[in-house]
Amino acid sequence: MLQHCFNMQSYSVKLVVNKDRVNKKTGLCSLYLKVIINRKPIPIPMGLKWPLSFISMEKGCILPREKKDPDFRDYEMIIISELSKINEIFKIYRLQDKLLTPELFKKELKSFSRRKNFIAFMSQRITERYNLKQIGVQTKKNHQSTLNKLSEFKEYIAFHEIDKRFLEKFAGWLKTEYENEDATVWTRIKDVNTYLEIAEGEGIGVNSDYKKYQISSPKGRIIYLEDEEIDRLFVLFNSRRLVPTHHQVLRAFLFSCFTSLRISDIRLAQWGWVTINKEMQFVPYKTRSTKKEVIIPLSRVAESLIEKKTGFFFSLPTDQEMNRSLKDLAVLADIKKDLTFHVARHTFGSHYYRETKDIISLQKIMGHYKLDTTMIYVHINEQDKRDGIKKLDEAFMRHMPVRRLVG
């Protein structure tokens, strides 16, 4: 329990539960913060439920339900943030030597959104967006990782604090403390901006100066497979020497190479998507909020890779098992690249453009909102030309002085 006393005033706050209202089936109970001002109790509902058996009443905190509890960190941060908010009010009145009454406290707490903790806001919205299926498991993990770094950089961050200078310092800290590359820093800043924009849309006052901090998107080289590498994977697929899990994963990977489907869509791919014209018509999982459909013709190769003749196309293992399988498959096929389903998608994009030069159709097939996103495959092929000339030049130099120019 946190307690403050001065000038005959006393404040305290503690996490409590109502033991008489525990759900008998689930063991869950509602969490409250019990604020006491001059002996007058004020219950503050948290809007959270946690198993009573995993709450330390003595310490006033929740405990993990299991090792690596997926929700514990989120809930703990929300509780800590609310405690910080209440203690901030206590501190303001203490420093100003002002009398804090229960009525004034309620008013201050209600209006606290003007200086609300961004850490708590981001934590709550990550959980809410995931529960509402607005973001997937991996995006949740990525956003949570950014939040962990941000809270490590500064435990309490008021909205008005986040301006251009703040983001510059955070980016610099990521580079010096964790030696993050530009691409990682760019992703972290982008995540923070996403939740600042959400807050702005909800009417929470943010410092618009944060928009002045511009960090360019990294233009890393896209990894994709060449024809001979795809051929090696097909030879491996047909070799009958793969264990079932490797065979399933390779089937789905090659299907992505010939359709551009993301792994999230491959898991959901089904015959219900296929029209009489042998086209897949569906709303991609990543952009499901827009409800915009994409139409992808099924090539004969892609159709031959479909595992099942009814229902879902594939039966796939967990993401971790797939990642392990892809590493094994790269070794077995003697491919010196990290195989991921992003690589498969980029393989489709680069080969489609190389063969057709039709950037507009490619944009529609891949479901890109902006043409600029698709243009990267044009740049790849420009790089192919430069690499080709470089290789030709290197071959020429290897034959010196036989091919030396004279005169």
Side-chain angles (χ1 to χ4, degrees):
M1 180 169 66
L2 299 173
Q3 189 167 4
H4 306 267
C5 297
F6 76 102
N7 289 353
M8 302 301 292
Q9 290 195 78
S10 63
Y11 317 138
S12 66
V13 57
K14 185 179 181 180
L15 182 72
V16 297
V17 299
N18 187 341
K19 293 184 179 180
D20 296 328
R21 301 192 65 180
V22 180
N23 188 304
K24 293 181 180 179
K25 290 183 178 180
T26 63
L28 295 174
C29 58
S30 297
L31 302 179
Y32 295 83
L33 290 179
K34 184 179 180 181
V35 176
I36 299 178
I37 298 178
N38 296 330
R39 299 184 180 180
K40 293 182 180 179
I42 307 168
I44 310 294
M46 294 287 294
L48 303 174
K49 293 180 183 292
W50 199 256
L52 179 61
S53 55
F54 291 93
I55 299 173
S56 171
M57 303 305 297
E58 181 182 350
K59 296 180 180 179
C61 66
I62 61 172
L63 305 171
R65 297 164 298 183
E66 58 186 356
K67 190 177 181 180
K68 296 183 179 180
D69 189 323
D71 299 320
F72 174 73
R73 174 69 173 165
D74 293 343
Y75 279 56
E76 185 184 45
M77 288 186 69
I78 293 170
I79 294 168
I80 290 172
S81 172
E82 292 301 307
L83 286 169
S84 298
K85 182 195 303 184
I86 291 169
N87 279 289
E88 182 73 10
I89 295 171
F90 289 167
K91 185 176 75 172
I92 290 170
Y93 274 75
R94 176 171 54 81
L95 293 176
Q96 295 179 0
D97 199 15
K98 291 170 62 177
L99 178 66
L100 180 62
T101 65
E103 291 72 25
L104 277 174
F105 172 79
K106 291 176 185 178
K107 185 177 178 181
E108 288 285 355
L109 192 62
K110 190 175 180 179
S111 64
F112 202 82
S113 61
R114 289 183 290 108
R115 54 184 184 275
K116 194 174 180 180
N117 186 357
F118 177 73
I119 296 289
F121 175 85
M122 186 171 172
S123 179
Q124 287 175 317
R125 292 301 176 271
I126 289 172
T127 302
E128 287 174 6
R129 294 181 75 203
Y130 175 71
N131 291 337
L132 293 170
K133 297 184 177 179
Q134 294 175 350
I135 57 175
V137 175
Q138 191 56 52
T139 302
K140 183 190 179 215
K141 288 180 180 177
N142 294 342
H143 289 184
Q144 186 63 51
S145 176
T146 296
L147 178 61
N148 292 343
K149 292 292 185 296
L150 189 64
S151 60
E152 186 180 340
F153 175 65
K154 189 173 183 186
E155 186 176 348
Y156 182 92
I157 306 170
F159 277 95
H160 67 81
E161 289 183 72
I162 308 176
D163 54 11
K164 180 176 181 248
R165 181 63 182 147
F166 178 92
L167 293 178
E168 285 174 349
K169 287 181 178 179
F170 180 49
W173 179 80
L174 288 170
K175 289 182 178 181
T176 55
E177 189 71 18
Y178 282 95
E179 298 182 354
N180 284 167
E181 300 291 337
D182 288 344
T184 303
V185 174
W186 178 82
T187 300
R188 300 292 189 207
I189 297 297
K190 182 171 69 72
D191 290 346
V192 172
N193 286 348
T194 294
Y195 287 90
L196 285 171
E197 289 168 6
I198 291 173
E200 214 168 0
E202 294 180 9
I204 295 175
V206 303
N207 191 335
S208 60
D209 188 67
Y210 82 88
K211 296 176 183 177
K212 294 179 182 178
Y213 181 60
Q214 300 293 327
I215 181 168
S216 300
S217 172
K219 304 296 182 184
R221 186 80 183 273
I222 280 183
I223 300 172
Y224 64 97
L225 300 183
E226 297 291 356
D227 288 325
E228 60 271 19
E229 293 170 318
I230 297 173
D231 290 343
R232 290 205 292 275
L233 288 176
F234 270 105
V235 169
L236 185 62
F237 181 79
N238 294 320
S239 67
R240 296 186 179 181
R241 59 190 180 94
L242 294 176
V243 297
T245 300
H246 285 18
H247 199 262
Q248 289 172 333
V249 172
L250 182 52
R251 182 190 292 274
F253 180 85
L254 288 169
F255 184 80
S256 179
C257 289
F258 286 87
T259 60
S260 83
L261 260 65
R262 300 179 180 91
I263 182 56
S264 55
D265 293 323
I266 284 182
R267 286 194 177 280
L268 299 172
Q270 55 193 274
W271 283 102
W273 291 359
V274 182
T275 69
I276 57 173
N277 297 322
K278 292 286 183 73
E279 296 172 330
M280 290 185 294
Q281 186 171 346
F282 64 100
V283 176
Y285 182 81
K286 185 177 181 180
T287 55
R288 62 196 179 283
S289 59
T290 66
K291 297 182 180 179
K292 186 177 180 180
E293 289 187 332
V294 298
I295 298 174
I296 303 176
L298 263 179
S299 68
R300 283 178 294 180
V301 176
E303 188 176 0
S304 70
L305 287 163
I306 296 174
E307 180 183 1
K308 300 179 180 180
K309 300 306 176 186
T310 58
F312 292 103
F313 287 175
F314 307 104
S315 52
L316 294 170
T318 64
D319 287 350
Q320 286 182 330
E321 288 177 298
M322 283 205 294
N323 290 335
R324 284 196 295 267
S325 294
L326 287 172
K327 288 181 179 179
D328 293 341
L329 290 166
V331 173
L332 291 170
D334 193 26
I335 293 174
K336 310 300 183 185
K337 295 173 181 174
D338 290 331
L339 294 188
T340 67
F341 277 88
H342 283 301
V343 171
R345 184 167 161 84
H346 291 323
T347 297
F348 175 88
S350 58
H351 283 266
Y352 185 94
Y353 180 76
R354 184 183 293 172
E355 297 297 327
T356 67
K357 299 297 186 289
D358 186 349
I359 196 69
I360 300 301
S361 293
L362 181 58
Q363 178 193 10
K364 292 177 180 177
I365 289 173
M366 301 195 78
H368 290 155
Y369 178 71
K370 295 180 180 179
L371 184 61
D372 285 351
T373 308
T374 321
M375 287 297 290
I376 194 162
Y377 298 109
V378 177
H379 301 153
I380 284 174
N381 283 272
E382 291 301 318
Q383 183 63 41
D384 285 344
K385 294 177 185 177
R386 289 191 287 272
D387 289 347
I389 293 297
K390 184 179 179 181
K391 288 178 182 177
L392 185 65
D393 192 43
E394 289 172 351
F396 181 88
M397 295 302 292
R398 282 198 301 270
H399 290 279
M400 293 294 282
V402 177
R403 295 181 179 178
R404 183 177 56 190
L405 297 176
V406 180

Short mmCIF file of all heavy atoms in Angstrom, two decimals, residues 33-55:
data_model
loop_
_atom_site.label_atom_id
_atom_site.label_comp_id
_atom_site.label_asym_id
_atom_site.label_seq_id
_atom_site.Cartn_x
_atom_site.Cartn_y
_atom_site.Cartn_z
N LEU A 33 -8.85 -0.40 -7.30
CA LEU A 33 -7.86 0.34 -6.53
C LEU A 33 -8.63 1.05 -5.42
O LEU A 33 -9.56 1.81 -5.68
CB LEU A 33 -7.13 1.36 -7.42
CG LEU A 33 -6.17 0.77 -8.45
CD1 LEU A 33 -5.54 1.87 -9.28
CD2 LEU A 33 -5.08 -0.07 -7.79
N LYS A 34 -8.23 0.76 -4.21
CA LYS A 34 -8.90 1.37 -3.05
C LYS A 34 -8.09 2.59 -2.61
O LYS A 34 -6.99 2.47 -2.08
CB LYS A 34 -9.01 0.36 -1.92
CG LYS A 34 -9.78 0.88 -0.71
CD LYS A 34 -9.86 -0.19 0.36
CE LYS A 34 -10.63 0.28 1.58
NZ LYS A 34 -10.68 -0.76 2.64
N VAL A 35 -8.66 3.76 -2.89
CA VAL A 35 -8.02 5.02 -2.50
C VAL A 35 -8.65 5.49 -1.18
O VAL A 35 -9.87 5.48 -1.04
CB VAL A 35 -8.21 6.09 -3.60
CG1 VAL A 35 -7.64 7.43 -3.14
CG2 VAL A 35 -7.55 5.64 -4.89
N ILE A 36 -7.81 5.87 -0.25
CA ILE A 36 -8.31 6.40 1.02
C ILE A 36 -7.73 7.80 1.21
O ILE A 36 -6.51 7.98 1.22
CB ILE A 36 -7.93 5.50 2.21
CG1 ILE A 36 -8.53 4.10 2.04
CG2 ILE A 36 -8.40 6.12 3.53
CD1 ILE A 36 -8.16 3.13 3.14
N ILE A 37 -8.62 8.77 1.33
CA ILE A 37 -8.21 10.16 1.56
C ILE A 37 -8.85 10.62 2.87
O ILE A 37 -10.09 10.67 2.98
CB ILE A 37 -8.66 11.08 0.40
CG1 ILE A 37 -7.97 10.63 -0.89
CG2 ILE A 37 -8.33 12.54 0.70
CD1 ILE A 37 -8.37 11.43 -2.11
N ASN A 38 -7.98 10.88 3.84
CA ASN A 38 -8.46 11.29 5.17
C ASN A 38 -9.51 10.31 5.70
O ASN A 38 -10.60 10.70 6.13
CB ASN A 38 -9.02 12.71 5.13
CG ASN A 38 -7.94 13.71 4.79
OD1 ASN A 38 -6.77 13.52 5.10
ND2 ASN A 38 -8.33 14.79 4.11
N ARG A 39 -9.17 9.01 5.59
CA ARG A 39 -9.98 7.91 6.12
C ARG A 39 -11.26 7.64 5.34
O ARG A 39 -12.06 6.79 5.73
CB ARG A 39 -10.32 8.14 7.60
CG ARG A 39 -9.11 8.23 8.50
CD ARG A 39 -9.52 8.36 9.94
NE ARG A 39 -8.35 8.44 10.82
CZ ARG A 39 -8.41 8.56 12.13
NH1 ARG A 39 -9.61 8.61 12.74
NH2 ARG A 39 -7.32 8.62 12.86
N LYS A 40 -11.46 8.36 4.23
CA LYS A 40 -12.65 8.11 3.41
C LYS A 40 -12.26 7.24 2.21
O LYS A 40 -11.44 7.65 1.38
CB LYS A 40 -13.24 9.43 2.93
CG LYS A 40 -13.82 10.27 4.07
CD LYS A 40 -14.44 11.56 3.54
CE LYS A 40 -15.02 12.38 4.68
NZ LYS A 40 -15.61 13.67 4.20
N PRO A 41 -12.82 6.04 2.10
CA PRO A 41 -12.46 5.14 1.00
C PRO A 41 -13.15 5.51 -0.32
O PRO A 41 -14.31 5.91 -0.32
CB PRO A 41 -12.93 3.77 1.49
CG PRO A 41 -14.08 4.07 2.40
CD PRO A 41 -13.77 5.40 3.04
N ILE A 42 -12.38 5.38 -1.41
CA ILE A 42 -12.92 5.64 -2.74
C ILE A 42 -12.53 4.44 -3.63
O ILE A 42 -11.36 4.27 -3.97
CB ILE A 42 -12.34 6.93 -3.35
CG1 ILE A 42 -12.52 8.11 -2.41
CG2 ILE A 42 -12.97 7.22 -4.73
CD1 ILE A 42 -11.73 9.34 -2.81
N PRO A 43 -13.48 3.57 -4.00
CA PRO A 43 -13.15 2.43 -4.87
C PRO A 43 -13.03 2.88 -6.34
O PRO A 43 -13.90 3.60 -6.84
CB PRO A 43 -14.33 1.49 -4.67
CG PRO A 43 -15.47 2.38 -4.30
CD PRO A 43 -14.89 3.56 -3.58
N ILE A 44 -11.95 2.48 -6.97
CA ILE A 44 -11.73 2.81 -8.38
C ILE A 44 -11.76 1.51 -9.20
O ILE A 44 -10.80 0.73 -9.13
CB ILE A 44 -10.38 3.53 -8.60
CG1 ILE A 44 -10.21 4.70 -7.64
CG2 ILE A 44 -10.24 3.96 -10.05
CD1 ILE A 44 -11.19 5.83 -7.87
N PRO A 45 -12.82 1.22 -9.94
CA PRO A 45 -12.86 -0.01 -10.76
C PRO A 45 -11.78 0.02 -11.83
O PRO A 45 -11.57 1.04 -12.49
CB PRO A 45 -14.27 0.01 -11.38
CG PRO A 45 -15.05 1.00 -10.58
CD PRO A 45 -14.05 2.01 -10.09
N MET A 46 -11.11 -1.10 -12.01
CA MET A 46 -10.05 -1.20 -13.01
C MET A 46 -10.56 -1.72 -14.35
O MET A 46 -9.89 -1.61 -15.38
CB MET A 46 -8.94 -2.15 -12.51
CG MET A 46 -8.19 -1.66 -11.30
SD MET A 46 -7.08 -0.32 -11.71
CE MET A 46 -5.92 -1.17 -12.76
N GLY A 47 -11.72 -2.38 -14.33
CA GLY A 47 -12.22 -3.00 -15.56
C GLY A 47 -11.43 -4.24 -15.94
O GLY A 47 -11.44 -4.66 -17.10
N LEU A 48 -10.73 -4.83 -14.95
CA LEU A 48 -9.93 -6.03 -15.19
C LEU A 48 -10.36 -7.15 -14.26
O LEU A 48 -10.82 -6.90 -13.14
CB LEU A 48 -8.44 -5.74 -14.93
CG LEU A 48 -7.78 -4.60 -15.71
CD1 LEU A 48 -6.36 -4.39 -15.20
CD2 LEU A 48 -7.77 -4.92 -17.20
N LYS A 49 -10.22 -8.40 -14.75
CA LYS A 49 -10.51 -9.57 -13.92
C LYS A 49 -9.28 -10.47 -13.88
O LYS A 49 -8.59 -10.61 -14.88
CB LYS A 49 -11.72 -10.34 -14.47
CG LYS A 49 -13.05 -9.60 -14.38
CD LYS A 49 -14.17 -10.44 -14.93
CE LYS A 49 -15.50 -9.69 -14.91
NZ LYS A 49 -16.00 -9.44 -13.56
N TRP A 50 -9.04 -11.07 -12.70
CA TRP A 50 -7.88 -11.95 -12.53
C TRP A 50 -8.25 -13.03 -11.51
O TRP A 50 -9.04 -12.78 -10.59
CB TRP A 50 -6.69 -11.13 -12.03
CG TRP A 50 -5.35 -11.77 -12.24
CD1 TRP A 50 -4.58 -12.40 -11.30
CD2 TRP A 50 -4.64 -11.88 -13.47
NE1 TRP A 50 -3.43 -12.87 -11.87
CE2 TRP A 50 -3.43 -12.57 -13.21
CE3 TRP A 50 -4.89 -11.47 -14.77
CZ2 TRP A 50 -2.50 -12.85 -14.18
CZ3 TRP A 50 -3.96 -11.73 -15.76
CH2 TRP A 50 -2.78 -12.42 -15.47
N PRO A 51 -7.69 -14.24 -11.65
CA PRO A 51 -8.00 -15.30 -10.67
C PRO A 51 -7.61 -14.91 -9.25
O PRO A 51 -6.49 -14.45 -9.02
CB PRO A 51 -7.18 -16.50 -11.17
CG PRO A 51 -6.89 -16.21 -12.61
CD PRO A 51 -6.78 -14.72 -12.70
N LEU A 52 -8.54 -15.10 -8.31
CA LEU A 52 -8.28 -14.72 -6.93
C LEU A 52 -7.05 -15.44 -6.37
O LEU A 52 -6.29 -14.88 -5.58
CB LEU A 52 -9.51 -15.05 -6.07
CG LEU A 52 -9.40 -14.73 -4.57
CD1 LEU A 52 -9.18 -13.24 -4.36
CD2 LEU A 52 -10.65 -15.21 -3.84
N SER A 53 -6.85 -16.70 -6.80
CA SER A 53 -5.73 -17.49 -6.28
C SER A 53 -4.38 -16.96 -6.75
O SER A 53 -3.34 -17.40 -6.24
CB SER A 53 -5.89 -18.95 -6.68
OG SER A 53 -6.02 -19.08 -8.08
N PHE A 54 -4.38 -16.05 -7.70
CA PHE A 54 -3.12 -15.48 -8.20
C PHE A 54 -3.05 -13.98 -7.91
O PHE A 54 -2.55 -13.21 -8.72
CB PHE A 54 -2.97 -15.76 -9.69
CG PHE A 54 -2.72 -17.20 -10.02
CD1 PHE A 54 -3.79 -18.03 -10.32
CD2 PHE A 54 -1.45 -17.74 -9.97
CE1 PHE A 54 -3.59 -19.38 -10.61
CE2 PHE A 54 -1.23 -19.08 -10.25
CZ PHE A 54 -2.30 -19.90 -10.56
N ILE A 55 -3.59 -13.60 -6.77
CA ILE A 55 -3.52 -12.20 -6.32
C ILE A 55 -2.92 -12.20 -4.92
O ILE A 55 -3.38 -12.91 -4.02
CB ILE A 55 -4.91 -11.54 -6.29
CG1 ILE A 55 -5.52 -11.52 -7.69
CG2 ILE A 55 -4.81 -10.11 -5.73
CD1 ILE A 55 -6.94 -11.03 -7.75
#
